[in-house]
Amino acid sequence: GLSILNKAGIGAIREKSMRMTARFFAAAKAHGWRVNTPENPAERAGTVSVDCPHASEVCRELLSREILVDYRPKAGVRLSPHFYNREEECDFAIAQIAEILASRAWEKHAGALSSA
């Protein structure tokens, strides 16, 4: 693992992390969802917490679609892109949140205990 990180370069990994989290941040805001992560890249790590409607249920549906996220109460769906993720994957995750909300697919998870 360390050899892969060293080969990629810590600086390049951080630069991509900031770019990818900014992408999530902008996309979530464009949808009108609250973001519970600092807007300033210098103040955030590699995670963006999107507080969309029905976030817990949306998280469960994302997981059922094999989109790896988690949910935190009072924060929302946590999206954590890594250096090996592509922009298309980030865009896909946001599109899936929008689709889950529009299609009401989240409803099948309503009332489930939150352990995501």
Side-chain angles (χ1 to χ4, degrees):
L2 286 177
S3 64
I4 293 170
L5 293 175
N6 286 330
K7 185 176 180 180
I10 300 303
I13 290 170
R14 176 64 178 152
E15 185 278 325
K16 184 172 183 185
S17 174
M18 290 190 312
R19 190 174 71 247
M20 299 291 262
T21 55
R23 189 176 192 90
F24 273 140
F25 198 102
K29 289 295 213 178
H31 281 283
W33 304 324
R34 180 179 171 167
V35 178
N36 291 319
T37 303
E39 189 167 1
N40 181 348
E43 295 175 5
R44 69 174 177 254
T47 299
V48 176
S49 295
V50 176
D51 194 9
C52 63
H54 314 287
S56 177
E57 293 86 357
V58 167
C59 179
R60 288 178 174 284
E61 182 61 18
L62 289 167
L63 291 169
S64 77
R65 297 177 184 199
E66 298 184 1
I67 299 170
L68 302 179
V69 296
D70 74 359
Y71 168 77
R72 299 291 167 97
K74 300 181 184 177
V77 177
R78 286 186 356 139
L79 303 154
S80 301
H82 296 283
F83 71 93
Y84 49 78
N85 288 115
R86 299 182 321 271
E87 289 179 351
E88 296 82 18
E89 292 172 306
C90 293
D91 297 344
F92 181 74
I94 291 291
Q96 288 295 292
I97 293 172
E99 190 279 326
I100 290 165
L101 291 169
S103 69
R104 303 181 70 86
W106 62 269
E107 288 181 343
K108 66 179 123 180
H109 305 283
L113 293 176
S114 180
S115 63

